[in-house]
Structures are given as structure tokens and as C-alpha cells.
Amino acid sequence: MDYKKLIIRGISYSQTQSGAYALLLEHEETSVKLPVVIGNFEAQSISLGLEKDLKPPRPLTHDLFSKFVTSTHYTLESVIIYQIIDGVFFSNINFKHTENGEELILDARTSDAVAMAVRFDAPIYTTEQVLNEAGILLEIENNNETSSTSEENYSTEETSDLKKMTSEDLQSLLNDAVKDEDYDLAMEIQEELKRRNKKID
């Protein structure tokens, strides 16, 4: 299968879910962004994994598991986010034995898989289908009038019913949502735009 490589663009506080964070992954070639809602502990663990110089006084769960993997002569080869169902991402962690080459695949939550991947500097991949279903592409080329009025005119009440908006207004609002790192709203808008495109097809 032709997998698409993702890079970690950052972690931001979720605008709509209290205590949750949005992990932002991005496809290197197309710049399509894949926002994944994760918990506070996983966000902290991924951040610490990215900051190689920062070491917690006691090992976190992902540090402990990483040590176990290394001690059993395995290495983490890659993480693959292979599907999304009802907004939930499903991932596999691919291990390989350093001596006999034996491969081991474990099912994992995407947040845990990414937390492990950063500790092994392992690549993260996804499928084209997942990118098509959950990816967000920020369209920079928008006319200035639309983008300037979008922030001023769209109140919370207006955004609560996306179905009443024109496709142009939705695209402008989508751009603003991504800029403001409100990926929950961005995904809702993306779903509405896809629903309209299906009707046209």
C-alpha cells in the first residue's frame, strides 16, 4: 500500500473539549493537515518525547514501555494510522527484532503510537483514504474581502448552523478555524463541505 508520511506540526489546546488537546500532523507533500484529539497526559508525553533534552525525574509510561522494547531487542520501525471510524483514528505500531528480523505489529491508540514514535525517531504514516476523510487543507488563495469579513461577521450563533452558510463562506470560515487552531470546528466545516460535494457528484 502507498502510505503517506506525516510530520508533527504541533500540539494545541482543544477549543471545544475541556482538558483535551489537538495533535496536528501534516502530510509532507500536500500540506494536508490531520488533527487528532488527544488527552492531557498523551499531549505531555508527546511534548516531552519531542524535547530530547527534557527528562522527567521518573519515567513516564511511554518511557517505561520504550525501555522494555529496547531491552527485548526490538526497535520501533514505524507507526501507521490506517483508518478512521466515527471520528476515531486507528493505528498500528510496527516493531522489528534487531537480531533475527522478526516483525511484530501491535494495535494502539494513535496518541500512544505517536508518543512511542517520537521516542524512537520513527516515521509516522497514514493512508490516502484517511487523509481524504479527515484531512484539512488550508486554502491560502482566497479573495481578501471574504477573509476579512469572516472574522468580523461570524458569531457563535451563526457558526452553530453550518448548513445555512454558502460554500464560499464555509471555506473562509475553515481557513480562519485552522489559523486559530480550532481543529474541532475545522473538521465540522470540512464534513459539511464534503457532504455538499457528494450531492453535486
Side-chain angles (χ1 to χ4, degrees), residues 124-143:
I124 302 167
Y125 298 101
T126 191
T127 65
E128 187 152 356
Q129 183 180 358
V130 170
L131 281 178
N132 289 339
E133 287 185 31
I136 296 171
L137 179 60
L138 176 60
E139 292 182 10
I140 302 297
E141 294 179 5
N142 244 346
N143 84 49

Side-chain angles (χ1 to χ4, degrees), residues 63-183:
D63 298 322
L64 182 63
F65 189 45
S66 297
K67 183 69 175 176
F68 175 77
V69 169
T70 306
S71 299
T72 54
H73 305 289
Y74 276 90
T75 186
L76 197 157
E77 292 279 289
S78 65
V79 162
I80 297 176
I81 304 170
Y82 63 90
Q83 70 178 5
I84 177 172
I85 300 175
D86 296 330
V88 178
F89 292 93
F90 289 77
S91 298
N92 281 333
I93 306 178
N94 299 315
F95 298 97
K96 191 171 187 179
H97 200 279
T98 55
E99 295 174 1
N100 60 26
E102 180 186 0
E103 295 181 351
L104 176 66
I105 300 173
L106 295 181
D107 180 40
R109 296 186 309 167
T110 298
S111 55
D112 290 328
V114 172
M116 291 294 296
V118 297
R119 284 163 171 76
F120 285 87
D121 293 318
I124 302 167
Y125 298 101
T126 191
T127 65
E128 187 152 356
Q129 183 180 358
V130 170
L131 281 178
N132 289 339
E133 287 185 31
I136 296 171
L137 179 60
L138 176 60
E139 292 182 10
I140 302 297
E141 294 179 5
N142 244 346
N143 84 49
N144 293 331
E145 271 184 50
T146 308
S147 58
S148 64
T149 57
S150 59
E151 288 184 22
E152 298 166 14
N153 297 340
Y154 295 142
S155 67
T156 306
E157 287 181 11
E158 287 169 309
T159 57
S160 64
D161 194 354
L162 301 175
K163 293 177 182 177
K164 293 179 182 176
M165 292 185 181
T166 65
S167 295
E168 291 77 15
D169 287 345
L170 281 174
Q171 186 60 59
S172 179
L173 190 61
L174 173 61
N175 292 347
D176 290 333
V178 174
K179 285 176 189 171
D180 295 337
E181 298 184 347
D182 187 351
Y183 300 114

Side-chain angles (χ1 to χ4, degrees), residues 4 8 77 128 184 191:
K4 310 297 181 184
I8 298 174
E77 292 279 289
E128 187 152 356
D184 298 329
E191 284 302 313

